Amino acid sequence: MKEAGNCIFIGGKTFVVSYQEDDFFSNDSHNLALYLYDEVNATKPHLLFMVACIARSLGHKYTWGNSISKQKIKGDFVSLPVTASGEIDFAFMDSFIRELEEERIRELEEERIRELAAYLKVSGLADSKLSASEREALDSFGKIQWREYNVKCLYGPSTRGKRLKSDDRIPGVLPFVTAGEAEQGVSAFIGNKVEVFRRNTTTIDMFGSAKYRNCEYGADDHVAVVHTEELPNHAAMFVTAACHKAAHTGAFDYGRNFYAKDADALNIMLPALASGLPDYNYMETFMRAVQKLVVKDVADFAAKRISTTKKCAKGGSRVSSNLAEAPEEEDSLRVAADENGE
């Protein structure tokens, strides 16, 4: 039988007490579901508080050999907070649980902030201020000269990966790239002896979807590898975007796969120097600027989330005076999220 949610659930044999918000099924006749008669006060915060009270009041009494039952619990008493008049203090329960939830949310947000700040620091992206050359690259984007180039002529023949069936894959640490968008096309981490492609290369899958690879990886036969490894990192990212735009046209699907030969025949548009060669310096500078703008947006969003969470936690809280002030990481993110010096 389906049990109605919004109740206190007790695992009869193990005496695990929990709040069940949604309807559920129970697989043991020893289990109990408690419903508050006072439907007005049968709220999640109140029931969560009562869960703790029941566990504390009765936890010492029942064991596996002496499990709780529907009959036994009728004679049990539970300690609850009361008002001066002796009524159950639902207002205190509500306030106390909400304060705990808000403090926990704040802790989680601060943890995310610390992780992001650490990532930005390790990645050398803690400062999102644009340099003069980066700002110039953004401003001149609509004015630069473009030229069409053949991928094979620029980077040599593309390489096709080799098939490795799912059943043959040995668990390991090498990312194995297949067709698809989920997890950037990485379907598994393998320990097989396969051809390892270098980082800073571009993959194009059977549907014409191109992705930049910043680590070594293996690839199956539905993936073409464009050898951009000798380019500066950010320039290789730019080339990946150009490949994606040229290949991801909808012309490739299960019936007509994109292969290495298609990559070799691919013509892409890139910024060009007066000499006719690709302007990799511009591509590098432009992509660094784009990366900083993205970092700025992420850092700004994270800093706003922690500030908003702290305001919510302090608003109407009886223990707001005990809440910690903003961590140093938030200040560092404010710096990262500046307006690029403006």
Side-chain angles (χ1 to χ4, degrees):
M1 293 178 60
K2 181 185 290 186
E3 306 288 348
N6 195 42
C7 70
I8 296 172
F9 179 79
I10 302 177
K13 287 292 188 181
T14 56
F15 199 77
V16 174
V17 189
S18 61
Y19 169 70
Q20 297 298 323
E21 186 169 12
D22 301 317
D23 295 348
F24 64 98
F25 293 95
S26 176
N27 69 341
D28 195 326
S29 60
H30 292 278
N31 297 337
L32 303 176
L34 308 183
Y35 298 89
L36 196 64
Y37 280 135
D38 185 353
E39 295 183 358
V40 174
N41 284 304
T43 64
K44 182 177 180 179
H46 297 159
L47 295 177
L48 282 172
F49 194 102
M50 289 181 174
V51 163
C53 292
I54 292 172
R56 185 62 178 267
S57 298
L58 304 179
H60 66 283
K61 183 177 179 180
Y62 295 106
T63 63
W64 184 272
N66 178 34
S67 59
I68 196 170
S69 68
K70 181 178 179 181
Q71 190 61 35
K72 289 178 182 178
I73 199 173
K74 291 180 179 180
D76 286 326
F77 289 83
V78 174
S79 295
L80 297 174
V82 295
T83 64
S85 61
E87 300 294 325
I88 296 176
D89 195 346
F90 286 110
F92 173 78
M93 292 185 189
D94 186 82
S95 175
F96 189 86
I97 291 297
R98 292 189 188 279
E99 287 166 6
L100 289 179
E101 288 181 332
E102 289 159 357
E103 186 170 1
R104 179 57 179 157
I105 290 172
R106 179 184 61 79
E107 291 172 354
L108 290 173
E109 292 300 323
E110 290 180 355
E111 183 179 348
R112 293 191 185 100
I113 293 298
R114 286 192 292 270
E115 290 174 352
L116 177 58
Y119 169 77
L120 295 177
K121 184 177 180 180
V122 171
S123 303
L125 298 171
D127 181 12
S128 65
K129 185 176 181 179
L130 294 176
S131 66
S133 59
E134 290 164 350
R135 185 174 293 280
E136 181 180 357
L138 290 174
D139 293 340
S140 62
F141 184 76
K143 305 172 186 176
I144 61 173
Q145 297 297 316
W146 295 77
R147 182 173 175 176
E148 187 176 71
Y149 300 91
N150 175 260
V151 167
K152 183 179 180 180
C153 291
L154 287 179
Y155 312 115
S158 301
T159 304
R160 181 179 177 182
K162 292 184 179 180
R163 179 167 298 186
L164 184 62
K165 295 180 179 179
S166 299
D167 294 341
D168 297 329
R169 297 173 189 173
I170 301 171
V173 297
L174 183 71
F176 190 68
V177 177
T178 56
E181 299 302 317
E183 302 297 335
Q184 291 293 297
V186 176
S187 62
F189 290 87
I190 63 171
N192 303 71
K193 291 184 178 180
V194 297
E195 181 176 359
V196 177
F197 296 103
R198 292 170 59 183
R199 62 181 302 276
N200 200 46
T201 50
T202 297
T203 62
I204 308 177
D205 69 17
M206 59 188 288
F207 305 114
S209 180
K211 296 178 179 64
Y212 173 74
R213 303 295 170 184
N214 64 351
C215 64
E216 293 183 337
Y217 60 95
D220 77 358
D221 61 342
H222 287 139
V223 173
V225 178
V226 179
H227 295 281
T228 56
E229 54 261 51
E230 300 302 328
L231 297 179
N233 292 2
H234 289 83
M237 296 178 194
F238 195 108
V239 172
T240 300
C243 289
H244 183 81
K245 183 174 178 62
H248 199 241
T249 60
F252 301 99
D253 53 30
Y254 283 106
R256 170 67 172 93
N257 295 171
F258 186 100
Y259 289 120
K261 60 181 178 61
D262 297 301
D264 291 341
L266 201 63
N267 293 322
I268 59 177
M269 297 295 295
L270 295 176
L273 297 167
S275 63
L277 296 175
D279 191 349
Y280 291 119
N281 286 335
Y282 174 83
M283 298 182 213
E284 177 82 359
T285 304
F286 179 85
M287 291 303 294
R288 277 203 313 266
V290 170
Q291 188 176 46
K292 285 186 176 181
L293 291 178
V294 173
V295 168
K296 172 190 174 300
D297 288 342
V298 173
D300 190 31
F301 175 73
K304 287 179 180 178
R305 283 193 66 176
I306 186 63
S307 296
T308 302
T309 302
K310 284 165 52 189
K311 290 178 182 178
C312 293
K314 291 182 178 180
S317 173
R318 296 183 183 182
V319 296
S320 61
S321 60
N322 294 327
L323 294 179
E325 293 301 319
E328 294 181 0
E329 287 82 358
E330 184 182 353
D331 293 332
S332 69
L333 286 172
R334 292 184 192 280
V335 174
D338 65 13
E339 293 298 331
N340 294 312
E342 295 179 355

